[in-house]
Amino acid sequence: YIFVGETRSNDGQVTGFHGDVDAWVVRTDATGELLWQRALGGSGAEIPRAVVQTLDGGFVVAGSSGSIDGDLAGVASTGRAWVVKLDTGGAIQWQQRYGDTSEDSFWAMEQTTSGELLLAGVKNSTTTTPGCNQGGSNAWLVKLDSSGALLWERCYGGSSIDIFYALCMSNEGGILLAGETWSSNGDVSTNNGLHDIWVVKVDEQGDLQWEKSLGGSSIESAR
């Protein structure tokens, strides 16, 4: 098994803690016995939200990072959305930040059959990304190659807050995304009150195929 979470510890089974909050990556055998663990980060807060095993047997962790030192020393970008590639033993092979502001973050990730990475999350409004100039915070979809290079990115939503928390590749092609929306304009056709579950289908290039808001007069969110 491989799992990721947060740690503030520097004792017990946690070694290599950097400060504040680290991403903690743990590999166990089939019975849950610890094989290795790795604390990733710096003096700021690293929040991991997704991990996948890659085709080469290694792992990719995605989330957000607030550090510019420790493991993140020399990793450029003003955005906090963070992806780090580990080998089979947990050593860093590459890492990169994406986005434009401290509000950007990844929440979900899948690897395609060809080794590319799809990541979903939230991005602050910016005119540099297609669809990200509608106001508020936009639901965000990113595609990377196996080395972390950006292939394309798209934003979705309206003038309020829109976030993707989950994604999967559809059996008939394209990508399904789910999260929440506070909007009632732009890409969002309906709002039932406060914020709704928002389900979105896009094709392989990120073009919107359909969307649906689900909920009532209070709060709904899909994870």
Side-chain angles (χ1 to χ4, degrees):
Y1 297 94
I2 186 79
F3 63 85
V4 294
E6 303 170 23
T7 183
R8 292 173 170 83
S9 299
N10 196 27
D11 55 10
Q13 293 172 317
V14 183
T15 61
F17 179 68
H18 297 84
D20 198 348
V21 183
D22 274 8
W24 196 38
V25 188
V26 178
R27 182 83 190 275
T28 75
D29 66 14
T31 64
E33 293 297 319
L34 182 67
L35 296 175
W36 54 259
Q37 60 83 37
R38 178 73 189 263
L40 297 169
S43 59
E46 277 65 55
I47 311 298
R49 296 191 177 96
V51 60
V52 297
Q53 186 166 31
T54 51
L55 299 177
D56 63 2
F59 305 94
V60 177
V61 177
S64 63
S65 171
S67 299
I68 57 173
D69 55 6
D71 289 328
L72 280 296
V75 181
S77 177
T78 55
R80 290 183 62 176
W82 178 49
V83 177
V84 54
K85 172 68 165 62
L86 307 175
D87 66 15
T88 56
I92 295 175
Q93 293 183 302
W94 58 259
Q95 60 179 317
Q96 189 164 325
R97 275 191 287 252
Y98 306 85
D100 303 295
T101 75
S102 61
E103 299 177 25
D104 305 334
S105 181
F106 292 131
W107 281 84
M109 172 173 51
E110 291 279 355
Q111 187 179 43
T112 70
T113 55
S114 57
E116 297 160 334
L117 295 168
L118 293 166
L119 299 110
V122 60
K123 187 175 188 181
N124 191 49
S125 293
T126 172
T127 57
T128 63
T129 301
C132 275
N133 56 355
Q134 300 187 70
S137 296
N138 301 130
W140 189 28
L141 178 63
V142 173
K143 191 171 189 179
L144 309 177
D145 70 14
S146 59
S147 299
L150 181 66
L151 296 176
W152 52 258
E153 59 177 331
R154 295 284 296 270
C155 286
Y156 311 86
S159 59
S160 192
I161 297 170
D162 311 287
I163 305 172
F164 289 145
Y165 291 121
L167 72 84
C168 67
M169 287 171 284
S170 172
N171 289 336
E172 70 270 15
I175 306 159
L176 287 163
L177 302 122
E180 66 185 54
T181 181
W182 297 63
S183 299
S184 57
N185 56 7
D187 296 321
V188 184
S189 57
T190 305
N191 186 294
N192 299 291
L194 292 182
H195 60 80
D196 286 350
I197 288 172
W198 197 38
V199 183
V200 174
K201 173 74 181 300
V202 302
D203 66 17
E204 289 85 350
Q205 289 73 47
D207 292 327
L208 184 66
Q209 294 186 312
W210 56 258
E211 54 82 32
K212 180 78 173 179
S213 297
L214 303 168
S217 59
S218 191
I219 295 171
E220 287 80 36
S221 181
R223 303 296 177 106

